[in-house]
Amino acid sequence: MNKFINKKEMLVTEAIDGSLRTAGGRLARLDGYPHIKVVLRTDWDRSKVALVSGGGSGHEPSHAGFVGQGMLTAAVCGEVFASPSVDAVLAGILAVTGKAGCLLIVKNYTGDRLNFGLAAERARAQGLDVNMVIVDDDVALPNLPQPRGVAGTLFVHKIAGALADQGADLAAVTEAAQRVIKGVVSIGMSLDTCTIPGSPKEDRIAPGKAELGLGIHGEAGIEQVDFSNARDAMEMVVSRLAPSLSPGPHVALLNNLGGATPLEMSVLAEELVRSRIGEQIRWLVGPAPLMTSLDMQGFSVSLLPVTKADEAALMAPVAPWPWPGCLPVGEIAVEPLPDGLTPIQPIPSRNDQTRAFIERCCRILIEAEAELNALDAKSGDGDTGSTLATAGRALIDALDRLPLADHTQLYRAIGLELSQTMGGSSGVLLAIFFAAAGDASASGQDAIGALKAGLDRIQQVGGARPGDRTMIDALFPALEGLHNGIDEAAKAAREGADATARITRARAGRASYLAEESLAGHNDPGAEAVAILFEKISEISLTT
């Protein structure tokens, strides 16, 4: 898989330099590239306890991203997923440690323990006061003698960092760090493995599966589980965390392992707060990328029982911008719609034939969702089918409150429903289409005349005409042919939709931004949707 890097051997050093250029002078690095990669504060007061952490790179923004006032004093960076050397760690300790001493915060991996441990011994031999704590928050593997250190490490950085910033001595900072380590638990889940630069990707997670309890270096999880949705995924994670929870309030850290989108992470945040342990979660850090695993499409949850002192330490201001803050979890505030936008509900009425027709049209679009998405992916963002299917589902749900016996009001009600439930420009255009059809029906037009009036209106508003490679290329001929029956309308819609595959220069819609080679040979998805709709309706008419 291609990556935006130059040489694998220069990846970490170039990344560090790139981040330091925008640090505003508050951070620097030691002169020692490429073997010694240490990021440290330039505003450091040696009269306070220094906090040094680090490990392999690939977990950004950890570790260098959390160097700054209120968190780490220095971060020692190794190569991707590789522990830094003893000399590098020792250089970091010597650069920042004064009479107040230094606390090393180390994740529970053999390489980190050995290299940081030996560096600590050498620093002590030089007369420095150095303590070391080992973070082992991963509960993926029960009864494991050496649990891994994962995203819960950030709680140690933040709470110990706040105490050190306030002037606490080394013994107090170390005790607080050990207490946090004893209380924090973490576990992660991913839909895919990470891609290590310069190495082939390991595709061990099958489609439809997720891996539970995997490590931040791409290590395999404890098991592969069936994946269905965000709610079930969060429930599996919560089920592993719940036995370790103590009574009382907790803070949760929701970590993006690198490849999940902000949209997905927000859904996961909602599911975490709504889960069976949600009442114990009083504060939330994130969702944000904090302790990542390169591009892994996954997340992890860390939980920590908190005291009032911990709460204050977690909310204390810090300089590192990647820290998203620790915010209280509250209820969703809902404000009423402004005057004039509250929907006017039509008076429902019954007409079984009209109801069956609308429902069938909606189900045609729902069934075509995957086909239309695949077509749209060839020349767009792959969501045409989903947009239309969402509208179809919404209309089905609204059938009981629609004025089915009054076509004039029905057109208007459908337009109102689509304006509220259907996204994108298609939703707006179809809402205008049905609203204009309702106005025409109120003026005495028959069904075909009303639909043509709707088409005229969206051409005026949207600016598209036949030949511009939009849904109008199928809808215009379909409505013209409707005078001769639904079968003729379906044939005309199909011819119009197929003709769009030969139009390589769109003059309206999203396709107008695409190159000719992206359009050639592919029907416009909106026109194809119209053709499918008329064809399926025609098939029903021929069999009844």
Side-chain angles (χ1 to χ4, degrees):
M1 179 182 292
N2 290 330
K3 297 285 184 182
F4 288 109
I5 66 173
N6 297 313
K7 293 181 179 180
K8 174 185 174 182
E9 296 76 16
M10 301 294 292
L11 170 59
V12 176
T13 55
E14 290 180 344
I16 291 173
D17 284 350
S19 63
L20 290 178
R21 290 190 186 280
T22 57
R26 67 180 181 86
L27 300 179
R29 65 169 172 86
L30 293 181
D31 185 9
Y33 273 1
H35 304 298
I36 293 176
K37 298 179 280 292
V38 176
V39 175
L40 69 165
R41 293 175 59 178
T42 57
D43 59 351
W44 177 233
D45 178 359
R46 281 174 171 260
S47 68
K48 296 181 179 180
V49 174
L51 264 61
V52 177
S53 189
S57 296
H59 306 301
E60 287 70 22
S62 292
H63 303 81
F66 295 111
V67 175
Q69 181 266 324
M71 292 189 78
L72 298 179
T73 316
V76 189
C77 305
E79 292 301 312
V80 173
F81 295 167
S83 177
S85 67
V86 174
D87 283 354
V89 178
L90 181 59
I93 296 171
L94 297 177
V96 297
T97 305
K99 291 182 179 180
C102 174
L103 177 64
L104 301 182
I105 302 171
V106 182
K107 296 187 297 303
N108 196 18
Y109 295 95
T110 301
D112 289 347
R113 290 183 66 136
L114 292 176
N115 287 292
F116 277 81
L118 181 53
E121 293 297 331
R122 291 184 177 176
R124 292 185 191 112
Q126 296 188 37
L128 297 179
D129 195 0
V130 179
N131 287 349
M132 186 169 86
V133 294
I134 307 294
V135 186
D136 56 356
D137 54 311
D138 192 355
V139 296
L141 299 169
N143 304 316
L144 189 70
Q146 295 288 338
R148 298 171 293 205
V150 285
T153 308
L154 275 299
F155 284 136
V156 186
H157 291 172
K158 184 65 180 72
I159 292 175
L163 292 179
D165 190 52
Q166 293 161 13
D169 62 22
L170 181 58
V173 174
T174 303
E175 187 279 330
Q178 290 171 334
R179 180 175 49 79
V180 172
I181 291 168
K182 185 177 179 180
V184 67
V185 291
S186 303
I187 191 170
M189 173 183 280
S190 184
L191 298 175
D192 200 2
T193 56
C194 60
T195 308
I196 300 175
S199 300
K201 182 178 176 63
E202 181 185 3
D203 294 318
R204 67 170 182 267
I205 304 177
K209 293 285 187 178
E211 199 159 75
L212 181 63
L214 72 178
I216 57 172
H217 302 116
E219 310 99 309
I222 54 173
E223 63 177 314
Q224 289 198 11
V225 296
D226 291 333
F227 175 77
S228 56
N229 55 43
R231 180 166 301 166
D232 290 345
M234 184 59 73
E235 171 56 31
M236 283 186 274
V237 166
V238 164
S239 69
R240 301 302 177 109
L241 294 171
S244 302
L245 258 63
S246 57
H250 284 65
V251 57
L253 184 149
L254 182 53
N255 174 50
N256 184 342
L257 284 167
T261 63
L263 201 62
E264 293 170 282
M265 294 304 299
S266 293
V267 172
L268 290 167
E270 174 69 2
E271 293 305 329
L272 175 59
V273 174
R274 290 174 53 185
S275 72
R276 53 188 158 115
I277 65 171
E279 290 186 357
Q280 285 188 260
I281 299 174
R282 305 290 177 79
W283 304 272
L284 183 63
V285 177
L290 297 164
M291 180 77 71
T292 65
S293 182
L294 295 172
D295 60 349
M296 187 178 287
Q297 191 185 354
F299 70 97
S300 68
V301 177
S302 302
L303 296 173
L304 175 70
V306 288
T307 63
K308 285 292 184 182
D310 292 332
E311 179 186 350
L314 286 166
M315 294 186 178
V318 295
W321 64 263
W323 178 255
C326 179
L327 302 176
V329 174
E331 295 297 322
I332 298 171
V334 179
E335 298 285 343
L337 287 172
D339 290 343
L341 286 181
T342 302
I344 300 172
Q345 298 298 332
I347 300 174
S349 58
R350 179 173 176 177
N351 185 306
D352 292 341
Q353 185 177 1
T354 299
R355 181 189 183 99
F357 178 77
I358 293 175
E359 183 169 357
R360 181 53 188 154
C361 290
C362 291
R363 298 209 179 277
I364 289 169
L365 296 176
I366 293 170
E367 291 164 4
E369 180 176 3
E371 178 184 350
L372 292 173
N373 279 346
L375 181 60
D376 189 29
K378 297 178 184 298
S379 58
D381 54 7
D383 68 346
T384 293
S386 297
T387 300
L388 293 170
T390 297
R393 295 184 186 100
L395 280 179
I396 290 174
D397 291 341
L399 283 172
D400 288 336
R401 61 176 184 271
L402 292 180
L404 299 173
D406 183 341
H407 283 190
T408 295
Q409 296 305 319
L410 178 59
Y411 291 134
R412 291 168 171 165
I414 290 174
L416 182 61
E417 188 70 32
L418 293 178
S419 71
Q420 297 168 7
T421 60
M422 189 176 177
S425 57
S426 298
V428 177
L429 289 172
L430 287 178
I432 293 171
F433 175 85
F434 282 105
D439 292 343
S441 179
S443 300
Q445 293 277 5
D446 62 10
I448 296 176
L451 295 176
K452 283 187 172 183
L455 177 59
D456 288 342
R457 186 69 56 82
I458 64 172
Q459 288 185 93
Q460 294 169 11
V461 174
R465 297 289 186 271
D468 287 349
R469 205 180 197 278
T470 68
M471 67 177 178
I472 290 174
D473 286 298
L475 186 57
F476 184 91
L479 294 183
E480 289 296 320
L482 199 54
H483 290 285
N484 298 318
I486 188 65
D487 189 41
E488 288 299 318
K491 290 179 181 178
R494 170 50 58 199
E495 291 175 0
D498 290 345
T500 62
R502 300 186 294 273
I503 302 174
T504 57
R505 186 63 182 268
R507 289 181 287 275
R510 189 170 53 217
S512 62
Y513 303 105
L514 300 177
E516 293 184 9
E517 57 268 23
S518 299
L519 303 178
H522 307 303
N523 287 11
D524 175 77
E528 181 65 18
V530 172
I532 291 174
L533 180 63
F534 275 91
E535 286 175 336
K536 295 293 184 182
I537 295 172
S538 176
E539 290 174 8
I540 297 170
S541 301
L542 291 174
T543 56
T544 56

